[in-house]
Amino acid sequence: MNGVHDMGGLHGFGPIRPETGEPVFHQAWEQDVFASVIALMAQGVYNLDEFRHAVERIGAAHYLDSSYYDHWLSAAELVLCEKGVIDQTELDRRIAEIKADPDAHARPPAGGEDPLAEALTQGLQAGLPAHREVAAGPRFAVGDRVVTNNLQPAGHIRLPAYVRDKPGVVVMTHGAHVLPDTHAHDGDESPAHLYTVRFDGERVWGEAGADRPAANHVDLWEPYLSPA
Amino acid sequence: MNGVHDMGGLHGFGPIRPETGEPVFHQAWEQDVFASVIALMAQGVYNLDEFRHAVERIGAAHYLDSSYYDHWLSAAELVLCEKGVIDQTELDRRIAEIKADPDAHARPPAGGEDPLAEALTQGLQAGLPAHREVAAGPRFAVGDRVVTNNLQPAGHIRLPAYVRDKPGVVVMTHGAHVLPDTHAHDGDESPAHLYTVRFDGERVWGEAGADRPAANHVDLWEPYLSPA
Amino acid sequence: MSDHHHDHGHHPHPISDVQARARALESLLRDKGLLTPGAVDTLVSAYEQDIGPLNGAKVVARAWTDPDYKQRLLADGPDAIRELGFGGLQGEHMVVVENTPEVHNVVVCTLCSCYPWPVLGLPPVWYKSAPYRSRVVREPRAVLAEFGTELDADVAIRVWDSSAEIRYLVLPERPAGTEHLSEDELAGLVTRDAMIGVQKVEAPA
Amino acid sequence: MSDHHHDHGHHPHPISDVQARARALESLLRDKGLLTPGAVDTLVSAYEQDIGPLNGAKVVARAWTDPDYKQRLLADGPDAIRELGFGGLQGEHMVVVENTPEVHNVVVCTLCSCYPWPVLGLPPVWYKSAPYRSRVVREPRAVLAEFGTELDADVAIRVWDSSAEIRYLVLPERPAGTEHLSEDELAGLVTRDAMIGVQKVEAPA
């Protein structure tokens, strides 16, 4: 998906503003959103690639003018309605109830046996590895010259525009990993060999615009690459 | 400037929504903005390229979530404050006065001698031609194969990203035209030969993504092009 | 004008932010001698009353009925268009591209909103919108279909992105069955959307 | 937590739109048995209390003081990091990249917000922001300078864009004059920003 989430190289967003003594969460609602999103992913309601693609689809203006956890909230609303886990009518009604009574539907304190909490504790430790064993060997080896394909699907892809249709060199191989392009849409893992590809900064950004010496490194799946 | 104004090829903006019986202006304030912007350009307060670049700089989220004449208004505020024609303090004060009294500073009816109105009538007819005579001949001819340069300046440029660093063929020559890249910044016209370049749709959008048979045509200045 | 048109003399409702900003700018420019009420009226009435797609329709109808004119029009757009009295701002360098059974042309400005004002007036909102600008360069066939324009699979689509001061006007195909119509009658068939290239000109029913 | 932290039991002020939306979603998921108060507490406390850049700092200090460990760390990040007890979600496939006098590494995720959670915790707002994501891939030297990191002109900058599930951790250079410090003391010098690669580790004053 060509969209504003793919923002590498854009101008005009101004200076970076680090915050001194930044808290992990700035507001309590961010905690709710973080926990909701992670808990549902851990339970397999959606996968990480589906969720990322939902973030890409919340609307370009909203993406640019809302905070990070608002992105997550908007994406969760979108994907959970699409999957029928919740429906928009009950969500709208629930929001209205809470606007009318700010104490409505407040979360009670935790207590007692909680198998979900225990499973999540273990899930954080185990993670969700993306590596998969596949029969086919890798097409490329470290040192190989490649060129990225000109892939511009409407759906999910993890080939940033700034390195699309550009030459590079393989610097790492990682075995086969779940392919986000399919995984985001039908859950099909279609594992493909993953490579870290180095791109010369001047080739990517143009001679006039590049800091130098500098190189961009991007992790790219085999279907994104052709021999140079 | 890499920015959201350069939106050729982006996904996710939804269907096109033509309006039946659309008026030239939808609201009276749009007339005020249109007339203000054109009248000041005609008087040389800023040039067209400066104004276009100001539109590009109004902020990406605002660009995407506001109407067209709000873009113009925001750009006019920006460029006129930068040039010192107005200052932000007087503008803010004036806005506050009008918010407090919606009749304040209303435009009186036209009447009497109006040399500006007469000049504008003539100016609309004459236009603002961008063609310039230059001594040097064109570097390229119709039929020449070219490749667009990888130019990504922070400033103004009229090389859309979707045809950057791509091969094409010259299909028209137009003589030399004012170069927006310099004209937008210091008023320097730096006229350069202008060409219409044809790009194969499949080369630009990828084999999988392209409608076919289709070709993209873009008007590009000589500094944007190299021999293929 | 729509019913959003506000009355400068009386405001029963509070003024919106954008209305206040527009008035503030316009009034400051008047105070500084850079704008007059007559200038505003002149510019607005030019594009509300005088300059619009009827101009372009006359150009097209003339080209359909006068082969010599068509030849001049395709060779030098601004000169031929000036013969009919049209030209000027945002049309200083017009190029006319001709639709044929084999080739369909469509015009866009992906970077802003360039449009041939002297022959089409000011562009409609959809032409300036993100959906049109983002999509027509990448999927012109799908966009044309949304406008009801289904092209045969072998028709070559040419998309013209007005990135410089060249302004493109599409010369649509003259529909079959219009041989008996006068130039004026033909002009009445030619729509703005056909001259942008998102539709074809239809014969009268 | 900042003073924006709201109290679930009492609301003197109306609730904001985003607060209401978050509560609505969270409470609906509880009603449907997909979320529990304990699950929320578990996830929040994991990243507020347990998992943060101190983990990464321990990894770095160990690598600085144990050459064998450093070798293992650069060869197989997840295995070596697991030796110190860290690993799991968003760190399943970690790669450690080493700064040297000739090479400076810096990490970003232009497409979203990928970050090595087990060793750095959740990313700061600036890391997820449009300015950082848009700029550091194009003008890393300028971005580093904004963070106070002035590199010699011949230092090669390597920018790592986490587009897959590989998570990059920068192994900063050990500052001169720290030979007398213990592993724990060294860990106390290592900042989050140094492990992202936007700063260097400074010797104690």
Side-chain angles (χ1 to χ4, degrees), chain A residues 159-226:
Chain A
L159 171 59
Y162 72 93
V163 291
R164 188 169 61 207
D165 196 20
K166 294 283 181 284
V169 177
V170 173
V171 295
M172 296 181 198
T173 62
H174 301 288
H177 279 230
V178 172
L179 185 69
D181 309 43
T182 53
H183 200 225
H185 292 282
D186 56 12
D188 180 351
E189 294 195 337
S190 302
H193 281 278
L194 180 69
Y195 307 89
T196 302
V197 180
R198 176 174 296 165
F199 299 88
D200 177 66
E202 292 186 44
R203 183 65 189 81
V204 169
W205 305 110
E207 286 178 34
D211 274 7
R212 69 193 77 176
N216 292 96
H217 302 74
V218 186
D219 298 328
L220 302 171
W221 285 260
E222 201 161 280
Y224 299 179
L225 302 173
S226 292

Coordinates of all heavy atoms in Angstrom, one line a residue, chain A residues 159-226:
Chain A
L159 N 8.0 -3.2 1.8 CA 9.1 -2.7 0.9 C 9.0 -1.2 0.9 O 8.2 -0.6 0.2 CB 8.9 -3.3 -0.5 CG 9.9 -2.7 -1.6 CD1 11.3 -2.9 -1.2 CD2 9.5 -3.4 -2.9
P160 N 9.8 -0.5 1.7 CA 9.6 1.0 1.8 C 9.8 1.6 0.4 O 10.7 1.2 -0.4 CB 10.7 1.4 2.8 CG 11.0 0.2 3.6 CD 10.8 -1.0 2.6
A161 N 9.1 2.6 0.1 CA 9.1 3.3 -1.2 C 10.5 3.8 -1.5 O 11.0 3.8 -2.7 CB 8.1 4.4 -1.3
Y162 N 11.3 4.2 -0.5 CA 12.5 4.9 -0.8 C 13.6 3.9 -1.3 O 14.6 4.3 -1.9 CB 13.1 5.7 0.4 CG 13.6 4.9 1.6 CD1 14.9 4.6 1.7 CD2 12.7 4.5 2.6 CE1 15.4 3.9 2.8 CE2 13.2 3.8 3.7 CZ 14.5 3.5 3.8 OH 15.0 2.8 4.9
V163 N 13.3 2.6 -1.1 CA 14.3 1.6 -1.7 C 13.6 0.7 -2.7 O 14.0 -0.4 -3.0 CB 14.9 0.7 -0.6 CG1 15.9 1.5 0.2 CG2 13.9 0.0 0.3
R164 N 12.5 1.2 -3.3 CA 11.8 0.4 -4.3 C 12.4 0.7 -5.7 O 12.8 1.9 -6.0 CB 10.3 0.8 -4.3 CG 9.4 0.0 -5.2 CD 8.0 0.3 -5.0 NE 7.7 1.7 -5.3 CZ 6.7 2.4 -4.7 NH1 5.9 1.8 -3.8 NH2 6.5 3.7 -5.0
D165 N 12.7 -0.4 -6.5 CA 13.2 -0.2 -7.8 C 14.7 0.4 -7.7 O 15.0 1.3 -8.4 CB 12.3 0.7 -8.6 CG 12.6 0.6 -10.1 OD1 13.3 -0.3 -10.6 OD2 12.2 1.6 -10.8
K166 N 15.4 -0.1 -6.7 CA 16.8 0.4 -6.5 C 17.7 -0.8 -6.3 O 17.4 -1.8 -5.8 CB 16.8 1.2 -5.2 CG 16.0 2.5 -5.2 CD 16.7 3.6 -6.0 CE 15.9 4.9 -6.0 NZ 14.8 4.9 -7.0
P167 N 19.0 -0.6 -6.7 CA 20.0 -1.6 -6.5 C 20.6 -1.6 -5.1 O 20.8 -0.6 -4.5 CB 21.1 -1.2 -7.6 CG 21.0 0.3 -7.7 CD 19.5 0.6 -7.4
G168 N 21.0 -2.8 -4.7 CA 21.6 -3.0 -3.4 C 22.4 -4.2 -3.3 O 22.6 -4.9 -4.3
V169 N 22.9 -4.5 -2.1 CA 23.8 -5.7 -1.9 C 23.3 -6.4 -0.7 O 23.0 -5.8 0.3 CB 25.3 -5.3 -1.7 CG1 26.1 -6.5 -1.4 CG2 25.8 -4.5 -2.9
V170 N 23.2 -7.7 -0.8 CA 22.8 -8.5 0.4 C 23.9 -8.5 1.4 O 25.1 -8.8 1.1 CB 22.5 -10.0 0.0 CG1 22.2 -10.9 1.2 CG2 21.3 -10.0 -1.0
V171 N 23.6 -8.2 2.7 CA 24.6 -8.2 3.7 C 24.3 -9.2 4.8 O 25.2 -9.5 5.6 CB 24.8 -6.8 4.4 CG1 25.4 -5.8 3.3 CG2 23.6 -6.2 5.0
M172 N 23.1 -9.7 4.9 CA 22.7 -10.7 5.9 C 21.6 -11.6 5.3 O 20.8 -11.1 4.5 CB 22.1 -10.1 7.2 CG 23.1 -9.3 8.0 SD 22.2 -8.7 9.5 CE 23.2 -7.3 10.0
T173 N 21.7 -12.9 5.7 CA 20.6 -13.8 5.4 C 20.0 -14.2 6.7 O 20.7 -14.3 7.7 CB 21.0 -15.0 4.6 OG1 21.9 -15.7 5.4 CG2 21.7 -14.6 3.3
H174 N 18.7 -14.4 6.7 CA 18.0 -14.7 8.0 C 17.1 -16.0 7.9 O 16.3 -16.2 8.8 CB 17.1 -13.5 8.4 CG 17.8 -12.2 8.5 ND1 18.7 -12.0 9.6 CD2 17.9 -11.1 7.8 CE1 19.2 -10.8 9.5 NE2 18.7 -10.2 8.4
G175 N 17.3 -16.8 6.9 CA 16.4 -17.9 6.7 C 15.1 -17.4 6.3 O 14.9 -16.3 5.8
A176 N 14.1 -18.3 6.3 CA 12.7 -17.9 5.8 C 11.9 -17.4 6.9 O 11.9 -17.9 8.1 CB 12.0 -19.1 5.2
H177 N 11.2 -16.3 6.6 CA 10.3 -15.7 7.6 C 8.9 -15.5 6.9 O 8.7 -15.5 5.7 CB 10.8 -14.2 8.0 CG 11.8 -14.3 9.0 ND1 11.8 -13.5 10.1 CD2 13.0 -14.9 9.1 CE1 12.9 -13.7 10.9 NE2 13.6 -14.6 10.3
V178 N 7.9 -15.5 7.8 CA 6.5 -15.3 7.4 C 6.4 -14.0 6.5 O 7.0 -13.0 6.8 CB 5.6 -15.0 8.6 CG1 4.2 -14.6 8.2 CG2 5.6 -16.3 9.5
L179 N 5.7 -14.2 5.4 CA 5.6 -13.1 4.4 C 4.4 -12.1 4.8 O 3.3 -12.6 4.7 CB 5.4 -13.6 3.0 CG 5.4 -12.6 1.9 CD1 6.8 -12.0 1.7 CD2 5.0 -13.2 0.6
P180 N 4.7 -10.9 5.1 CA 3.6 -10.0 5.6 C 2.6 -9.8 4.5 O 1.4 -9.6 4.8 CB 4.3 -8.7 5.9 CG 5.8 -9.1 6.0 CD 6.0 -10.3 5.2
D181 N 3.0 -9.8 3.2 CA 2.1 -9.5 2.1 C 0.8 -10.4 2.1 O -0.3 -10.0 1.9 CB 2.8 -9.7 0.8 CG 4.1 -8.9 0.7 OD1 4.8 -8.9 1.7 OD2 4.4 -8.3 -0.3
T182 N 1.0 -11.7 2.4 CA -0.1 -12.7 2.4 C -0.6 -12.8 3.8 O -1.9 -12.8 4.0 CB 0.4 -14.0 2.0 OG1 1.5 -14.5 2.7 CG2 0.7 -14.0 0.5
H183 N 0.2 -12.7 4.8 CA -0.2 -12.9 6.2 C -1.2 -11.9 6.7 O -2.0 -12.1 7.5 CB 1.1 -12.9 7.1 CG 0.9 -13.6 8.4 ND1 1.4 -13.0 9.6 CD2 0.3 -14.7 8.8 CE1 1.2 -13.8 10.6 NE2 0.5 -14.9 10.2
A184 N -1.0 -10.7 6.2 CA -1.9 -9.6 6.6 C -3.3 -9.7 6.0 O -4.2 -9.0 6.5 CB -1.3 -8.2 6.1
H185 N -3.4 -10.5 5.0 CA -4.7 -10.6 4.3 C -5.5 -11.8 4.5 O -6.7 -11.8 4.8 CB -4.5 -10.3 2.8 CG -4.1 -8.9 2.5 ND1 -4.9 -7.8 2.6 CD2 -2.8 -8.4 2.3 CE1 -4.3 -6.7 2.3 NE2 -3.0 -7.0 2.2
D186 N -4.9 -13.0 4.5 CA -5.6 -14.2 4.7 C -5.0 -15.1 5.7 O -5.4 -16.3 5.8 CB -5.8 -14.9 3.3 CG -4.5 -15.2 2.6 OD1 -3.4 -15.1 3.3 OD2 -4.5 -15.6 1.5
G187 N -4.0 -14.6 6.4 CA -3.3 -15.4 7.4 C -2.3 -16.4 6.8 O -1.7 -17.2 7.6
D188 N -2.2 -16.4 5.5 CA -1.3 -17.4 4.9 C 0.1 -17.0 5.1 O 0.5 -15.9 4.8 CB -1.6 -17.4 3.4 CG -0.7 -18.4 2.6 OD1 0.2 -18.9 3.2 OD2 -1.0 -18.6 1.4
E189 N 0.9 -17.8 5.7 CA 2.3 -17.4 6.1 C 3.3 -17.4 5.0 O 4.2 -16.6 5.0 CB 2.8 -18.4 7.2 CG 2.0 -18.3 8.5 CD 2.8 -19.0 9.7 OE1 3.7 -19.8 9.4 OE2 2.5 -18.6 10.8
S190 N 3.1 -18.2 3.9 CA 3.9 -18.2 2.7 C 5.4 -17.8 3.0 O 5.9 -16.9 2.5 CB 3.4 -17.2 1.7 OG 2.1 -17.4 1.4
P191 N 6.0 -18.5 3.9 CA 7.4 -18.1 4.4 C 8.3 -18.0 3.2 O 8.3 -18.8 2.2 CB 7.8 -19.2 5.3 CG 6.8 -20.3 5.3 CD 5.6 -19.8 4.6
A192 N 9.1 -17.0 3.2 CA 10.1 -16.7 2.1 C 11.4 -16.2 2.8 O 11.4 -15.7 3.9 CB 9.5 -15.6 1.2
H193 N 12.5 -16.5 2.1 CA 13.8 -16.1 2.6 C 13.9 -14.6 2.8 O 13.4 -13.8 2.0 CB 14.9 -16.6 1.7 CG 15.2 -18.1 2.0 ND1 15.9 -18.6 3.0 CD2 14.7 -19.2 1.3 CE1 16.0 -19.9 3.0 NE2 15.2 -20.3 2.0
L194 N 14.5 -14.2 3.9 CA 14.6 -12.8 4.3 C 16.0 -12.4 4.3 O 16.9 -13.2 4.7 CB 14.0 -12.6 5.7 CG 14.0 -11.2 6.3 CD1 13.1 -10.3 5.5 CD2 13.7 -11.3 7.8
Y195 N 16.3 -11.2 3.8 CA 17.7 -10.7 3.6 C 17.7 -9.3 4.2 O 16.8 -8.5 4.1 CB 18.1 -10.7 2.2 CG 17.9 -12.0 1.4 CD1 16.7 -12.3 0.8 CD2 18.9 -12.9 1.4 CE1 16.5 -13.5 0.2 CE2 18.8 -14.1 0.7 CZ 17.5 -14.4 0.1 OH 17.4 -15.6 -0.5
T196 N 18.9 -9.0 4.7 CA 19.1 -7.5 4.9 C 19.9 -7.0 3.7 O 21.0 -7.6 3.4 CB 19.9 -7.3 6.2 OG1 19.2 -7.9 7.3 CG2 20.1 -5.8 6.5
V197 N 19.4 -6.0 3.1 CA 20.0 -5.5 1.9 C 20.6 -4.1 2.2 O 19.9 -3.2 2.8 CB 19.0 -5.4 0.8 CG1 19.7 -4.8 -0.5 CG2 18.5 -6.8 0.5
R198 N 21.8 -3.8 1.8 CA 22.4 -2.5 2.0 C 22.3 -1.7 0.7 O 22.5 -2.2 -0.4 CB 23.9 -2.7 2.3 CG 24.7 -1.3 2.4 CD 26.1 -1.6 2.9 NE 26.1 -2.1 4.3 CZ 27.1 -2.7 4.9 NH1 28.3 -2.8 4.2 NH2 27.0 -3.2 6.1
F199 N 21.9 -0.4 0.8 CA 21.7 0.5 -0.3 C 22.6 1.7 0.0 O 22.7 2.2 1.1 CB 20.3 1.0 -0.4 CG 19.3 -0.1 -0.6 CD1 18.7 -0.8 0.5 CD2 18.9 -0.5 -1.9 CE1 17.8 -1.8 0.3 CE2 18.0 -1.5 -2.1 CZ 17.4 -2.2 -1.0
D200 N 23.3 2.1 -1.1 CA 24.2 3.2 -1.0 C 23.3 4.5 -0.8 O 22.4 4.7 -1.6 CB 25.1 3.3 -2.2 CG 25.9 4.6 -2.2 OD1 26.8 4.7 -1.3 OD2 25.7 5.5 -3.0
G201 N 23.6 5.3 0.2 CA 22.8 6.5 0.4 C 22.7 7.4 -0.8 O 21.6 8.0 -1.1
E202 N 23.8 7.6 -1.5 CA 23.7 8.5 -2.6 C 22.9 7.9 -3.7 O 22.2 8.7 -4.5 CB 25.1 8.8 -3.2 CG 26.0 9.5 -2.2 CD 27.3 9.9 -2.8 OE1 27.4 10.4 -4.0 OE2 28.3 9.8 -2.1
R203 N 22.8 6.6 -3.9 CA 22.0 6.0 -4.9 C 20.5 6.2 -4.5 O 19.6 6.4 -5.4 CB 22.3 4.5 -5.1 CG 21.5 3.8 -6.2 CD 21.9 4.4 -7.5 NE 21.0 3.9 -8.6 CZ 19.8 4.3 -8.8 NH1 19.3 5.3 -8.1 NH2 19.0 3.8 -9.8
V204 N 20.2 6.1 -3.3 CA 18.8 6.1 -2.8 C 18.3 7.6 -2.8 O 17.1 7.8 -3.2 CB 18.7 5.5 -1.4 CG1 17.3 5.8 -0.8 CG2 18.9 4.0 -1.5
W205 N 19.1 8.5 -2.3 CA 18.6 9.9 -2.1 C 19.1 10.9 -3.1 O 18.7 12.0 -3.1 CB 19.0 10.3 -0.7 CG 18.6 9.4 0.4 CD1 19.3 8.5 1.1 CD2 17.2 9.1 0.8 NE1 18.5 7.8 2.0 CE2 17.2 8.1 1.8 CE3 16.0 9.6 0.4 CZ2 16.1 7.6 2.3 CZ3 14.8 9.1 1.0 CH2 14.9 8.1 1.9
G206 N 19.9 10.4 -4.1 CA 20.4 11.3 -5.0 C 21.7 11.9 -4.5 O 21.9 12.1 -3.3
E207 N 22.6 12.3 -5.5 CA 23.9 12.8 -5.1 C 23.8 14.0 -4.3 O 24.5 14.3 -3.4 CB 24.8 13.0 -6.3 CG 25.3 11.7 -6.9 CD 26.1 11.9 -8.1 OE1 26.8 12.9 -8.2 OE2 26.0 11.0 -9.1
A208 N 22.9 14.9 -4.7 CA 22.8 16.2 -4.0 C 22.2 16.1 -2.6 O 22.5 16.9 -1.8 CB 21.9 17.1 -4.9
G209 N 21.3 15.1 -2.4 CA 20.5 15.1 -1.2 C 21.1 14.3 -0.1 O 20.6 14.3 1.0
A210 N 22.1 13.5 -0.4 CA 22.5 12.4 0.6 C 23.5 12.9 1.6 O 24.5 13.6 1.2 CB 23.0 11.2 -0.2
D211 N 23.3 12.5 2.8 CA 24.4 12.6 3.8 C 25.4 11.5 3.3 O 25.0 10.4 2.8 CB 23.9 12.2 5.2 CG 23.3 13.4 5.9 OD1 23.2 14.4 5.3 OD2 23.0 13.2 7.1
R212 N 26.7 11.7 3.6 CA 27.7 10.7 3.2 C 28.8 10.7 4.1 O 29.1 11.8 4.7 CB 28.1 10.9 1.7 CG 29.0 12.1 1.5 CD 29.1 12.4 0.0 NE 27.9 13.0 -0.5 CZ 27.7 13.4 -1.7 NH1 28.6 13.3 -2.6 NH2 26.6 14.0 -2.1
P213 N 29.6 9.6 4.3 CA 29.2 8.3 3.8 C 28.1 7.7 4.6 O 28.2 7.8 5.8 CB 30.5 7.5 3.9 CG 31.2 8.1 5.0 CD 30.8 9.6 5.1
A214 N 27.1 7.2 4.0 CA 25.9 6.6 4.7 C 25.3 5.5 3.8 O 25.3 5.6 2.6 CB 24.9 7.6 5.1
A215 N 24.8 4.5 4.5 CA 24.1 3.4 3.8 C 22.8 3.1 4.5 O 22.7 3.2 5.7 CB 25.0 2.2 3.8
N216 N 21.8 2.8 3.7 CA 20.5 2.4 4.3 C 20.4 0.8 4.2 O 20.8 0.2 3.2 CB 19.3 3.0 3.5 CG 19.3 4.5 3.6 OD1 19.8 5.2 2.8 ND2 18.6 4.9 4.7
H217 N 20.0 0.3 5.3 CA 19.8 -1.2 5.4 C 18.3 -1.5 5.6 O 17.7 -0.9 6.5 CB 20.6 -1.8 6.6 CG 22.0 -1.5 6.5 ND1 22.6 -0.2 6.7 CD2 23.1 -2.3 6.1 CE1 23.9 -0.3 6.5 NE2 24.2 -1.5 6.1
V218 N 17.8 -2.4 4.8 CA 16.4 -2.7 4.9 C 16.2 -4.2 4.8 O 16.9 -4.9 4.1 CB 15.6 -2.0 3.8 CG1 14.1 -2.2 4.0 CG2 15.9 -0.5 3.8
D219 N 15.3 -4.8 5.6 CA 15.0 -6.2 5.6 C 14.0 -6.5 4.6 O 12.9 -6.0 4.6 CB 14.6 -6.7 7.0 CG 15.7 -6.4 8.0 OD1 16.9 -6.5 7.7 OD2 15.3 -6.1 9.2
L220 N 14.4 -7.4 3.6 CA 13.5 -7.6 2.4 C 13.4 -9.1 2.1 O 14.4 -9.8 2.2 CB 14.1 -6.9 1.2 CG 14.2 -5.4 1.4 CD1 15.0 -4.7 0.2 CD2 12.9 -4.7 1.6
W221 N 12.2 -9.5 1.8 CA 11.9 -10.9 1.5 C 12.3 -11.2 0.0 O 12.2 -10.3 -0.8 CB 10.4 -11.2 1.7 CG 10.0 -11.3 3.1 CD1 9.9 -12.5 3.8 CD2 9.8 -10.3 4.1 NE1 9.5 -12.2 5.2 CE2 9.4 -10.9 5.3 CE3 9.8 -8.9 4.0 CZ2 9.1 -10.1 6.4 CZ3 9.5 -8.1 5.1 CH2 9.2 -8.7 6.3
E222 N 12.5 -12.5 -0.3 CA 13.0 -12.9 -1.6 C 12.1 -12.4 -2.7 O 12.6 -12.0 -3.8 CB 13.1 -14.4 -1.6 CG 14.0 -14.9 -2.7 CD 14.5 -16.3 -2.4 OE1 15.5 -16.5 -1.6 OE2 13.9 -17.2 -3.0
P223 N 10.7 -12.4 -2.5 CA 9.9 -12.0 -3.7 C 10.0 -10.5 -4.0 O 9.5 -10.0 -5.0 CB 8.4 -12.3 -3.2 CG 8.6 -13.3 -2.1 CD 9.9 -13.1 -1.5
Y224 N 10.7 -9.7 -3.1 CA 10.9 -8.3 -3.3 C 12.1 -8.1 -4.2 O 12.4 -6.9 -4.5 CB 11.1 -7.6 -2.0 CG 10.0 -7.6 -1.0 CD1 10.1 -6.9 0.2 CD2 8.7 -8.2 -1.3 CE1 9.1 -6.9 1.2 CE2 7.7 -8.2 -0.3 CZ 7.9 -7.5 0.9 OH 6.9 -7.5 1.8
L225 N 12.9 -9.1 -4.4 CA 14.3 -8.9 -5.0 C 14.4 -9.7 -6.3 O 13.9 -10.8 -6.5 CB 15.3 -9.5 -4.0 CG 15.3 -8.8 -2.6 CD1 16.3 -9.5 -1.7 CD2 15.7 -7.3 -2.7
S226 N 15.2 -9.1 -7.2 CA 15.7 -9.8 -8.4 C 17.2 -9.6 -8.5 O 17.8 -8.7 -7.8 CB 15.1 -9.1 -9.6 OG 13.7 -9.3 -9.7

